[in-house]
Amino acid sequence: MTAGVTTDGGTANDLTPDGAGVLLDGVTKRYGRQTVLDVPRLQVPHRSFTVLVGPSGCGKSTGLRVVAGLETPDTGRVVIGGVDVTDVAPGRRGVSMVFQDFALYPHLTVEQNISFSLRLEARHDRRNGPSKADIARRVTEACAMLGLEKLRGRRPAQLSGGERQRVGLARAVVRRPSVLLLDEPLSALDAQLRQHARAELVRLHRELGNTVVLVTHDQLEALSMGTNLVVMNGGKVVQSGTPGEVYRRPADTFVAGFVGSPAMNLHDVRAGTHPAGTELTAPGLRVVIPGDRLPAEVRLGWRPGDGVLERLPDAGPAAGLGAGGESTGPGLHADGVVDVVEFTGDAVVVHCAGELGRWAVAVRAGVDQPAVGDRVRTRVAAAHLHLFDATTGRRIDDPTA
Ligand SMILES: Nc1ncnc2c1ncn2[C@@H]1O[C@H](COP(=O)(O)OP(=O)(O)OP(=O)(O)O)[C@@H](O)[C@H]1O
């Protein structure tokens, strides 16, 4: 585990009173009989861009709403910048939230939408609230930051989805929140705008220098945007770390299958003794790995991009491969037939079927790419194999330890 976001402690430095780290401590939330959030400890460090990712219904939005103060947890504390805000009203937490549909007021102009919360604050608190000049300056600043200068007089119905998204962000940014919460803010955008908006958000975070927590169910978004990634499933945090750490060392089979596209290939294998360590076997597969500290039932994983494909002659035994897919070198060898070829631009995802089952290999698109019906051998170097306990699903880091 991980720099940055931690679920098991973390450093006090991330929660200095002047910083705006967020801590969920023993937080649970139930709706009726269903526990939708169960987070013993989750720390989001000050100034991080943290992405909460997980399948639909896993509790991401509920987690964000608990931080914003829009939901009250049944147990536990929410701490922002070292201050327990569990009982503090949403407007007083130094937090702004942008919703999936941006929730703009349709009858107000872009400028009025952006200034709305500041005008409200001024009216409620005439002494300490912002002055008219303050409001004008901050709105101008937010419009410049999000490229909205020319759209200030328009109403939401006269804006594109991308423009509405920027207004939603400007409305949050104008409050200068120490924590900016974004609930699937890009889901209404088409693929091209979405890619552009991702880069804009990353730039915005750099300019604001604050803490951003973004919710998405899009794992590509999760891997590409955040400095920290929190993977959730069934109301629980299953792994947190930098995107690279989570991708390279998924903590369990759920994370392995969820993070990364195309998904990691997973095969059920049996572990047996072998003079050189442990022999992993499945129909069409025999791999020997060093170390003997493995349970009997193992799930063997590998990323489609780590596989190397080689076309085989149409018939006859495969050279270098013994009966039952025995590997003649370190790593995995599996023979099969190309079932589907998926063209994705630079890469081609080749879906194969064989004695081992089904698996996918991502290769560069090019002249030598295999075609449906071709016989192919897949090789995966031993260093690229991931091992999981088939019973618990947990990663086995070092079978020699
Ligand atoms: N107000 C509510 N009353 C009852 N159940 C709710 C309520 N809000 C959410 N839930 C349930 O809580 C669970 C978590 O919902 P939540 O919206 O946090 O998930 P999510 O991970 O954000 O999902 P999505 O990606 O689909 O938005 C779901 O099973 C949902 O049906």
Side-chain angles (χ1 to χ4, degrees), residues 29-32 34-37 53-65 71 100 183-184 215-217 232 235:
K29 177 76 192 169
R30 294 167 69 96
Y31 288 121
Q34 191 193 1
T35 300
V36 297
L37 202 60
V53 70
S56 185
C58 72
K60 307 178 295 291
S61 298
T62 306
L64 215 58
R65 293 170 65 82
E71 298 284 356
Q100 200 165 351
D183 192 356
E184 304 242 13
V215 157
T216 182
H217 61 262
M232 292 186 65

Side-chain angles (χ1 to χ4, degrees), residues 336-360:
V337 174
V338 175
D339 191 23
V340 175
V341 176
E342 218 182 317
F343 179 63
T344 63
D346 285 346
V348 173
V349 182
V350 182
H351 297 264
C352 306
E355 226 187 325
L356 180 59
R358 294 184 171 276
W359 64 94

Side-chain angles (χ1 to χ4, degrees), residues 190-211:
D190 65 39
Q192 204 180 352
L193 257 180
R194 217 176 150 119
Q195 198 172 14
H196 178 68
R198 278 185 204 138
E200 274 193 7
L201 274 182
V202 171
R203 180 182 52 75
L204 187 70
H205 171 242
R206 204 170 49 223
E207 277 179 32
L208 293 173
N210 63 354
T211 306

Side-chain angles (χ1 to χ4, degrees), residues 307-397:
V308 177
L309 270 188
E310 176 189 330
R311 222 180 272 150
L312 295 173
D314 284 341
L321 205 74
E326 182 181 355
S327 162
T328 55
L332 174 151
H333 297 198
D335 284 4
V337 174
V338 175
D339 191 23
V340 175
V341 176
E342 218 182 317
F343 179 63
T344 63
D346 285 346
V348 173
V349 182
V350 182
H351 297 264
C352 306
E355 226 187 325
L356 180 59
R358 294 184 171 276
W359 64 94
V361 187
V363 298
R364 278 177 68 87
V367 279
D368 210 24
Q369 76 188 45
V372 171
D374 282 355
R375 290 185 68 227
V376 286
R377 171 165 307 154
T378 302
R379 297 174 187 273
V380 187
H384 291 135
L385 298 176
H386 302 252
L387 300 171
F388 303 94
D389 183 321
T391 312
T392 62
R394 302 296 300 169
R395 181 183 190 82
I396 301 164
D397 264 323

Side-chain angles (χ1 to χ4, degrees), residues 229-243:
L229 186 56
V230 177
V231 187
M232 292 186 65
N233 191 24
K236 293 183 191 293
V237 172
V238 283
Q239 188 172 10
S240 61
T242 66

